Amino acid sequence: MPTRPKRINALPKMTNFAAVRPRMLTPKSKRSCLAWARVSNIDPWHRSRGTVEDETQVMATAAEILTDLRDLERKRPSLMDFAVAGTLTERHVTRQIATAITRSYRTYWANFEAGFIHLHRVAHKHLPPTPDVLRARATIKRVVQMFEQSSEALPTNFIWPLLMGCCEEDDFEDRAWMIRAIRSMQAFACNAQPIADVLEEVHKRQDATKVRADVRQVSMDMFNMSFAVV
């Protein structure tokens, strides 16, 4: 298994942000970008599960998705590491641009990391969390803390990483904190409150059975509908 790339801790002084151009998507990177949809395609709501043949197919697909996620992680732009760490300053770009880039990349990175948790809960529901899952959970919490420390409101598209991260959270205080963070977005996201309610019920079921609960099933049981999470 390839080792993770070393994080870059300092921004080169002569970085020319105006010269940064998006790369053309190769077939492989297109597969990576579609990872989240591919995870949904192997969940029990979109295909048969439960037989040896079913689970063998799911395991094979999950392995491909995991490979693509790791490949996409390795190919991330260096700028992302600087932005997520909050090291972009007026020495590099204007304050407004630095703020926008930092906010965007932090939101993207948290959502990207949530993909590892989503994949594990769908494909490996019965297995303990992997290092990828534990790292993703820690990253999501760290990014939320960064927003709080800068007194910034969380973007509404932070509901998904909070939902995924909290589903795998064991610490009761951290659970409550993450659920409060979701509820705080109610003014901008009408589904924030019911999703937080679903999350609380997910924890009740998981604590009682010691088995991961299907978020969509819990939502159907409580509201007879599932909520779109962007």
Side-chain angles (χ1 to χ4, degrees):
M1 183 180 297
T3 58
R4 294 191 180 282
K6 183 178 180 180
R7 302 289 184 182
I8 301 174
N9 297 317
L11 187 64
K13 293 182 179 179
M14 299 304 293
T15 299
N16 180 5
F17 293 106
V20 176
R21 295 288 185 272
R23 292 180 296 177
M24 294 295 291
L25 287 176
T26 64
K28 188 169 186 177
S29 61
K30 286 180 180 178
R31 291 200 306 272
S32 298
C33 292
L34 294 173
W36 291 270
R38 291 160 63 198
V39 173
S40 295
N41 285 338
I42 60 174
D43 72 24
W45 298 89
H46 295 92
R47 62 151 296 149
S48 60
R49 296 287 299 269
T51 68
V52 172
E53 182 179 3
D54 287 336
E55 298 309 310
T56 299
Q57 292 172 357
V58 167
M59 293 300 107
T61 301
E64 293 176 359
I65 296 171
L66 183 59
T67 296
D68 285 348
L69 284 173
R70 288 172 173 166
D71 182 59
L72 185 59
E73 180 185 21
R74 284 192 298 272
K75 293 179 179 178
R76 70 189 183 279
S78 299
L79 178 61
M80 179 178 293
D81 290 340
F82 306 136
V84 172
T87 55
L88 291 180
T89 68
E90 293 182 51
R91 183 167 62 89
H92 311 114
V93 292
T94 65
R95 181 171 58 84
Q96 292 83 354
I97 293 177
T99 299
I101 292 175
T102 297
R103 183 179 179 86
S104 295
Y105 270 135
R106 283 177 173 174
T107 303
Y108 170 82
W109 193 243
N111 275 273
F112 175 81
E113 290 280 53
F116 288 97
I117 300 176
H118 185 206
L119 176 62
H120 190 80
R121 291 182 66 86
V122 167
H124 311 292
K125 177 181 178 180
H126 59 295
L127 297 176
T130 63
D132 282 326
V133 170
L134 296 176
R135 185 206 66 249
R137 185 184 68 187
T139 298
I140 291 166
K141 292 194 292 184
R142 179 166 56 87
V143 174
V144 173
Q145 290 169 345
M146 288 176 175
F147 274 103
E148 291 183 344
Q149 290 167 1
S150 61
S151 300
E152 288 187 75
L154 286 171
T156 54
N157 47 359
F158 232 93
I159 292 179
W160 174 247
L162 278 169
L163 173 62
M164 287 292 97
C166 194
C167 280
E168 290 293 311
E169 183 56 61
D170 297 321
D171 184 89
F172 288 98
E173 290 186 3
D174 281 355
R175 287 181 185 178
W177 164 61
M178 296 168 85
I179 290 173
R180 285 197 304 271
I182 293 176
R183 293 193 190 281
S184 72
M185 289 182 261
Q186 176 62 26
F188 310 101
C190 61
N191 57 355
Q193 290 286 14
I195 288 174
D197 293 339
V198 167
L199 189 48
E200 288 182 335
E201 179 62 23
V202 166
H203 282 305
K204 289 179 183 178
R205 297 187 185 189
Q206 291 183 165
D207 291 343
T209 64
K210 307 303 179 185
V211 175
R212 289 184 178 91
D214 185 310
V215 174
R216 183 170 180 175
Q217 184 61 61
V218 174
S219 180
M220 294 297 294
D221 292 344
M222 293 179 66
F223 299 102
N224 197 32
M225 64 178 296
S226 59
F227 296 92
V229 183
V230 179

